[in-house]
Structure formats: C-alpha cells, structure tokens
Amino acid sequence: MSLMTLATTITGGHDPDYYAGRADAHDEHTQGAALHVLDHRAHVIADLHPAPLYAAGYAARVLELRAETAAITAAETELAHDNAPTATS
C-alpha cells in the first residue's frame, strides 16, 4: 500500500499542477527511484505532459534532489578526508 502526496487546495495563488508535479517526483524518489531515472522521467514529462506547470514542478523537485545529494556527498567526502589516517614515517 502506498500513500499519495496531495497538493493542498491553498497554493498561495500558484497553479496546483506545479505542486502535483513536485509531489509526484518526491513520492517516486521516496519509493526508491534513482536520480538518473527521475531525470529521464522529467525529460519525458516535459515533452509529453499536457500541463507545463506540472512538468516544471516535477523538474524543480528533481533539481532539488540533485543539489541535496551533491551537498551530502561533499559533506561525507570532507568528513572522510578529515578522519583519514595519516601516513607516518
């Protein structure tokens, strides 16, 4: 059983399709879809989806996920470098 993330009815004047696209990208990532898969889906959605703002929301969330992953990787790399054993002569 899966849970659906819904866009709220109060969107502050923004199109609900945008938030539906963001929610779908978030849900797919949470369910285990890899970033390269989400990136491919974003390109397909941009070409084929009838609601441009849905495609924009989906792509925006994928870009955020890429930035989050890059930041985590950088932090883990720095931590590993700081904790790496040093060579003694």
Side-chain angles (χ1 to χ4, degrees):
M1 181 175 164
S2 63
L3 297 175
M4 180 188 301
T5 303
L6 300 174
T8 61
T9 56
I10 301 171
T11 60
H14 299 290
D15 194 305
D17 286 340
Y18 179 81
Y19 296 104
R22 290 180 59 83
D24 285 348
H26 174 80
D27 289 347
E28 291 171 9
H29 178 67
T30 302
Q31 294 171 358
L35 282 176
H36 70 279
V37 172
L38 293 175
D39 191 47
H40 175 71
R41 288 179 186 165
H43 284 87
V44 171
I45 288 170
D47 289 339
L48 302 177
H49 203 279
L53 286 173
Y54 177 90
Y58 193 98
R61 184 63 187 136
V62 172
L63 289 174
E64 288 173 2
L65 290 168
R66 285 190 165 285
E68 290 170 9
T69 301
I72 290 169
T73 301
E76 289 176 347
T77 301
E78 184 174 343
L79 183 62
H81 177 72
D82 290 345
N83 292 330
T86 56
T88 57
S89 37

